[in-house]
């Protein structure tokens, strides 16, 4: 475990200054981290291209030269397509199982079987239910929620028909899917079929395999993930802007620090509530602390940051680094993106790792199983154990770095922000794109990967696009990267953005990068795009909007599923870092899969999936695509000179002038 990195310097490993401080400490103490392990472990070149197969015991087979096949005769493109769809299946399963659990929690809450949960967003519940023809008039929220939960639970095991929430995509998009035969029947059914098709001796046509990848991913984005987001909003409230902070400096020396890490909002929200209860505060004070300080890592951080303003301690690659501060009493984890290495790191300190999901145990961690029926009791049990551990704390080193952040731009809030409750609408957004003040829209999502410089791609791409008047929405670890760099506050980012985008941000009062939640909340981006289409003026389908999806530092199978459903929805998408399938110059057939994912999918669903590694190359591809879509819509060519002469900026400049000059500037002619 204790190992010094043989590779990059901390400054080369991450651009985040707080993380650099912790990596210097890791090197001094001789502790290994994901960064040093990535430096020390050379990736297998055949696996990196996804040109190996171990689906049956006639293999494992490795394709390393032209014309070579597996023992069964499987060609390079078949093997790569099978590996790709299995990643989609795993990613869709993770998101959707989360969605299923949320739907069961809604059902139990509606029937009074949970402890501490209530239906918080009755308006969203009623809107959604009405959209699915569930009667709402004269019925209590619990009655409506019970029916909506039943409908949602049924979508997972449904055998025939269509996953009901796909009806929230634009009609034109639904037609594309229907024609192609990729409307998902049931979320689970499509995942199971991925595994069946890729068993030895089944589907051996790469294009046909990838068609099913689209179907499975649509079942994730417009099914399981959308259900997870809907239910989280109903139970915990739809996010709206709120002030928070991000980075390791949110940990507090004189408080009991508890970090929640993973993805599900159910336990983390209850831990936040319990930490604010007088009995728990008193318990912490009796132990000599000022109170209990909750913060988050990864998407659990996003869930409580965007709803309650609870600070984010960091993103994916900071989970070990947070423990290295020596100030964390407990790290409470649920599902997804939890590195086994945190248990080993915690052994050097006093931190207790607590697993809570029925599905996740880690050897060496304490397991306190979460049960929604006793949610508050379990949350308090976990906090008491953290307080009891406070006395074991040794020397601490908390980096003094944290940035303010304004998260919470749900689809519903954007609607409200643009038109108020009287006339909520996406019209101003569409108009801003049509006029060219906003050149186009980009979603930057996804993870960190220690094989890249931590946070660097997310930030460099975002900074370049903001200068080009591109409005950015972000989720997951990408949004935490931007939060740490101060891009998610109103004023801080505005001196870095183009003139047209700046006018819009100043007028509406929004940051140029909008935080839209956790990685399961990429479904929010889908519904935003559906509403942009519905509002009119930017095409009849999502594929006509000047929009691009980016996953710069992806690492998880969920990211592959996300990229696939974003493309299936009609959005050109670029992933960078390690490509899940790559071309090997010695294996001619290995180019087939890349062509199917780009040109093949463009023909089928109107959007490509591509892989690029250089910031300039990515930014140019994004702008080229946005400008192409603008031209196809007949919109004016992007011209930054045309804007930036109205709004606050102009007024501020006017104030600097003498009265005569001010009149000249306003009226355009000298005025006595
Ligand atoms: Fe090899 Fe074919 Fe078996 Fe894969 S399925 S391991 S290619 S024999
Ligand atoms: S947590 S999937 S590292 S975004 Fe959602 Fe971050 Fe990627 Fe996990």
């Amino acid at each position: 475990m204790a190992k010094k990195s043989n590779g990059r310097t901390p400054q080369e490993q991450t651009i985040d200054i707080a993380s650099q401080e912790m990596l210097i400490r890791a090197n001094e103490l001789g502790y290994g981290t994901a960064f040093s392990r990535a430096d020390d472990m050379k990736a297998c070149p055949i696996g990196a291209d996804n040109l190996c197969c171990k689906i049956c015991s006639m293999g494992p087979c490795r394709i390393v030269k032209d014309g070579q096949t597996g023992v069964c005769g499987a060609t390079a493109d078949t093997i790569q397509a099978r590996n790709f769809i299995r990643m989609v299946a795993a990613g869709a399963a993770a998101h959707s199982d989360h969605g299923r659990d949320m739907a069961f929690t809604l059902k139990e809450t509606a029937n009074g079987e949970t402890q501490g949960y209530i239906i918080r967003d009755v308006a969203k519940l009623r809107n959604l239910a009405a959209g699915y023809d569930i009667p709402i008039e004269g019925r209590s929220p619990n009655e409506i929620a019970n029916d909506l939960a039943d409908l949602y639970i049924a979508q997972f095991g449904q055998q025939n028909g269509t996953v009901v929430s796909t009806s929230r995509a634009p009609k034109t998009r639904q037609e594309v899917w229907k024609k192609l035969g990729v409307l998902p029947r049931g979320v689970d059914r499509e995942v199971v079929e991925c595994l069946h098709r890729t068993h030895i001796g089944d589907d051996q046509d790469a294009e046909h395999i990838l068609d099913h990848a689209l179907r499975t991913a649509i079942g994730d984005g417009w099914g399981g993930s959308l259900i997870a987001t809907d239910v989280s909003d109903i139970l915990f409230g739809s996010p709206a802007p709120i002030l928070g902070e991000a980075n390791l400096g949110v940990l507090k020396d004189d408080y009991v620090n508890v970090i929640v890490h993973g993805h599900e909002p159910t336990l983390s929200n209850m831990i936040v509530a319990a930490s604010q209860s007088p009995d728990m505060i008193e318990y912490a004070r009796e132990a000599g602390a000022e109170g209990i300080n909750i913060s988050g890592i990864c998407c659990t951080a996003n869930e409580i940051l965007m709803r309650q303003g609870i600070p984010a301690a960091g993103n994916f690659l900071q989970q070990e680094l947070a423990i290295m501060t020596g100030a964390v009493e407990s790290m409470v984890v649920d599902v997804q993106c939890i590195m086994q290495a945190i248990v080993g790191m915690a052994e050097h300190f006093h931190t207790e790792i607590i697993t809570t999901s029925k599905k996740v145990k880690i050897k060496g961690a304490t397991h306190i199983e979460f049960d929604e029926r006793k949610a508050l009791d379990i949350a308090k049990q976990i906090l008491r154990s953290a307080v009891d551990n406070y006395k074991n704390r040794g020397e601490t080193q908390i980096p003094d770095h944290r940035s303010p952040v304004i998260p919470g731009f749900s689809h519903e809030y954007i609607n409200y922000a643009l038109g108020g409750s009287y006339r909520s609408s996406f019209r101003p957004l569409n108009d801003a794109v049509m006029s060219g003040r906003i050149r186009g829209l980009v979603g930057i999502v996804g993870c960190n990967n220690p094989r890249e410089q931590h946070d660097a791609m997310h930030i460099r791409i975002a900074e370049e696009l903001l200068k080009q008047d591109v409005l950015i929405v972000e989720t997951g670890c990408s949004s935490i990267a931007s939060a740490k760099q101060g891009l998610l506050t109103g004023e801080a980012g505005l001196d870095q953005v183009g003139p047209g985008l700046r006018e819009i941000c100043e007028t509406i009062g929004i940051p140029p990068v909008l935080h839209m939640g956790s990685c399961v909340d990429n479904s929010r981006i889908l519904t935003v795009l559906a509403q942009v289409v519905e509002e009119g003026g930017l095409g009849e389908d999502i594929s006509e909007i000047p929009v691009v999806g980016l996953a710069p530092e992806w690492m998880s199978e969920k990211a592959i599923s996300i990229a696939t459903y974003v493309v299936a929805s009609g959005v050109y998408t670029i992933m960078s870092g390690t490509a899940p399938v790559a071309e090997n110059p010695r294996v001619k057939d290995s180019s087939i899969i890349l062509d199917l994912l780009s040109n093949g999918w463009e023909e089928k669903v109107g959007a490509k999936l591509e892989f690029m590694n250089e910031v300039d190359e990515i930014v140019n591809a994004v702008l080229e695509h946005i400008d192409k879509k603008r031209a196809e819509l007949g919109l004016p060519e992007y011209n930054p000179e045309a804007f930036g002469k109205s709004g606050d900026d102009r007024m501020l400049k006017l104030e600097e002038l003498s009265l005569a000059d001010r009149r000249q500037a306003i009226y355009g002619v000298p005025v006595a």
Side-chain angles (χ1 to χ4, degrees):
M1 176 70 205
K3 198 158 190 314
K4 196 174 168 193
S5 173
N6 294 324
R8 300 164 293 172
T9 64
Q11 290 74 18
E12 289 165 339
Q13 289 169 324
T14 175
I15 61 163
D16 172 41
I17 198 159
S19 299
Q20 286 172 4
E21 184 179 327
M22 285 297 101
L23 288 171
I24 291 167
R25 181 161 155 88
N27 287 343
E28 284 166 2
L29 296 170
Y31 297 162
T33 63
F35 295 89
S36 61
R37 291 188 295 274
D39 288 347
D40 295 345
M41 182 176 291
K42 198 170 176 307
C44 161
I46 303 161
D49 295 344
N50 246 326
L51 278 166
C52 54
C53 179
K54 53 185 177 70
I55 277 171
C56 86
S57 80
M58 293 190 286
C61 302
R62 298 174 304 157
I63 309 297
V64 291
K65 57 179 191 244
D66 244 2
Q68 198 179 15
T69 68
V71 173
C72 67
T75 52
D77 54 324
T78 297
I79 289 172
Q80 286 184 309
R82 286 197 301 219
N83 288 333
F84 185 89
I85 198 176
R86 283 192 167 212
M87 296 178 88
V88 171
H95 280 148
S96 297
D97 208 30
H98 169 173
R100 180 203 328 270
D101 285 345
M102 294 305 302
F104 274 112
T105 305
L106 180 64
K107 170 94 180 158
E108 287 160 8
T109 301
N111 289 286
E113 292 163 8
T114 55
Q115 185 190 39
Y117 300 116
I118 55 165
I119 290 168
R120 284 210 160 73
D121 194 338
V122 176
K124 179 151 186 173
L125 169 71
R126 287 171 64 87
N127 280 339
L128 286 169
Y132 296 125
D133 294 330
I134 293 171
I136 57 170
E137 291 313 326
R139 303 184 79 206
S140 72
N142 281 347
E143 285 172 310
I144 301 169
N146 181 62
D147 289 359
L148 183 66
D150 282 343
L151 179 75
Y152 276 175
I153 290 165
Q155 302 314 305
F156 295 93
Q158 184 170 282
Q159 300 306 315
N160 291 305
T162 303
V163 171
V164 68
S165 42
T166 57
S167 63
R168 283 155 71 186
K171 291 271 174 295
T172 39
R173 189 60 6 198
Q174 293 177 51
E175 280 306 314
V176 170
W177 295 337
K178 196 169 167 196
K179 213 165 131 210
L180 197 61
V182 296
L183 272 165
R185 295 155 292 189
V187 177
D188 295 357
R189 179 168 183 181
E190 308 312 346
V191 172
V192 168
E193 193 172 309
C194 288
L195 298 179
H196 182 186
R197 282 179 184 234
T198 54
H199 183 273
I200 164 75
D202 278 309
D203 202 353
Q204 285 153 99
D205 175 328
E207 184 179 350
H208 194 235
I209 293 169
L210 292 179
D211 283 350
H212 191 68
L214 292 169
R215 190 177 208 178
T216 307
I218 296 166
D220 173 1
W222 293 91
S225 288
L226 190 52
I227 290 172
T229 298
D230 284 349
V231 177
S232 298
D233 286 354
I234 291 169
L235 287 176
F236 304 114
S238 295
I242 187 168
L243 186 63
E245 286 187 313
N247 218 340
L248 293 171
V250 304
L251 297 170
K252 292 181 180 167
D253 242 331
D254 45 357
Y255 278 67
V256 173
N257 288 302
V258 175
I259 291 185
V260 286
H261 169 24
H263 281 78
E264 291 180 344
T266 34
L267 174 60
S268 51
N269 271 280
M270 206 50 76
I271 285 184
V272 171
S275 73
Q276 293 160 356
S277 69
D279 57 325
M280 291 313 309
I281 294 171
E282 188 48 39
Y283 193 67
R285 288 194 176 142
E286 280 167 15
E290 290 293 318
I292 302 172
N293 180 40
I294 310 291
S295 58
I297 293 263
C298 274
C299 284
T300 299
N302 286 314
E303 295 283 354
I304 53 177
L305 173 69
M306 67 182 167
R307 292 198 176 87
Q308 286 139 305
I310 300 297
N315 50 8
F316 176 66
L317 280 179
Q318 289 176 284
Q319 53 190 289
E320 293 172 282
L321 308 185
I323 296 170
M324 281 193 46
T325 61
V328 179
E329 274 57 54
S330 296
M331 185 175 276
V332 185
V333 304
D334 50 44
V335 295
Q336 301 163 24
C337 302
I338 301 144
M339 291 192 203
Q340 188 167 353
I342 56 174
V343 171
M345 180 60 84
E347 280 167 8
H348 299 299
F349 301 89
H350 73 305
T351 308
E352 186 179 26
I353 306 294
I354 301 176
T355 51
T356 58
S357 167
K358 288 183 184 70
K359 296 163 205 160
V360 176
K361 281 193 176 183
I362 306 177
K363 200 172 156 199
T366 305
H367 189 71
I368 301 179
E369 199 154 290
F370 183 55
D371 178 348
E372 284 81 356
R373 289 167 302 179
K374 294 179 284 181
L376 192 57
D377 295 343
I378 293 170
K380 287 189 174 181
Q381 181 191 350
I382 288 171
L383 291 182
R384 269 193 292 271
S385 142
V387 172
D388 294 344
N389 196 17
Y390 183 63
K391 62 179 180 301
N392 299 321
R393 192 190 276 189
E395 188 203 330
T396 63
Q397 183 180 333
I398 301 174
D400 190 18
H401 300 290
R402 69 197 78 76
S403 298
V405 45
I406 301 179
F409 289 88
S410 58
H411 170 193
E412 290 78 2
Y413 182 79
I414 296 175
N415 224 340
Y416 168 75
L418 296 177
S421 52
Y422 172 58
R423 197 178 282 159
S424 62
S425 161
F426 266 47
R427 192 69 256 155
L429 176 68
N430 283 29
D431 284 346
V433 176
M434 289 168 71
S435 69
R437 279 190 169 81
I438 294 178
R439 185 171 183 173
L441 311 170
V442 162
I444 308 183
V445 309
C447 322
N448 301 134
N449 188 325
R451 298 204 177 276
E452 314 297 320
Q453 191 183 24
H454 172 223
D455 289 348
M457 287 290 266
H458 290 294
I459 299 305
R460 289 185 186 137
I461 292 171
E463 285 175 347
E464 289 307 312
L465 292 176
L466 290 176
K467 286 183 210 156
Q468 299 291 330
D469 290 299
V470 173
L471 179 68
I472 297 174
V473 297
E474 291 193 338
T475 61
C477 291
S478 182
S479 60
I480 300 176
S482 287
K484 290 184 289 177
Q485 298 295 328
L487 292 177
L488 300 189
T489 59
E491 333 71 48
L494 284 190
D495 54 351
Q496 302 166 36
V497 313
L501 177 60
R502 181 175 177 153
E503 280 185 359
I504 296 298
C505 293
E506 283 173 346
T507 308
I508 306 173
I510 54 170
V513 183
L514 303 180
H515 176 287
M516 292 200 81
S518 63
C519 48
V520 92
D521 290 329
N522 285 312
S523 59
R524 293 189 200 278
I525 301 179
L526 299 181
T527 55
V528 163
L529 294 175
Q531 193 167 343
V532 166
V533 170
E534 195 179 317
E535 191 61 51
L538 290 176
E540 298 298 315
D541 182 25
I542 293 174
S543 62
E544 295 176 40
I545 304 173
V547 59
V548 179
L550 301 175
E553 297 175 33
W554 80 278
M555 65 87 202
S556 77
E557 290 163 316
K558 288 183 294 170
I560 299 293
S561 179
I562 293 166
T564 303
Y565 72 64
V566 172
V567 172
S569 303
V571 179
Y572 171 42
T573 300
I574 303 170
M575 304 183 85
S576 51
T578 314
V581 283
E583 190 174 349
N584 179 332
R586 284 176 296 140
V587 184
K588 205 161 48 149
D589 280 358
S590 63
S591 65
I592 295 174
I593 187 94
L594 292 175
D595 190 54
L596 287 170
L597 295 173
S598 55
N599 299 324
W601 276 1
E602 182 162 54
E603 225 168 87
K604 287 171 191 272
V605 292
K608 294 179 182 190
L609 176 60
E610 291 190 326
F611 306 96
M612 295 174 198
N613 276 328
E614 300 304 322
V615 172
D616 288 353
E617 188 188 10
I618 293 168
V619 169
N620 288 340
V622 168
L623 297 177
E624 202 179 297
H625 181 80
I626 283 175
D627 289 345
K628 186 176 114 200
K629 290 292 167 185
R630 292 188 65 86
E632 285 170 5
L633 287 167
L635 299 179
E637 211 172 301
Y638 168 68
N639 173 18
E641 302 302 317
F643 303 108
K645 295 176 184 64
S646 58
D648 295 351
D649 188 42
R650 185 177 176 224
M651 294 310 293
L652 288 173
K653 283 198 180 114
L654 285 175
E655 274 170 25
E656 290 165 11
L657 302 177
S658 69
L659 188 60
D661 288 347
R662 217 182 293 174
R663 284 176 175 158
Q664 158 94 47
I666 293 170
Y667 300 111
V669 288
V671 179

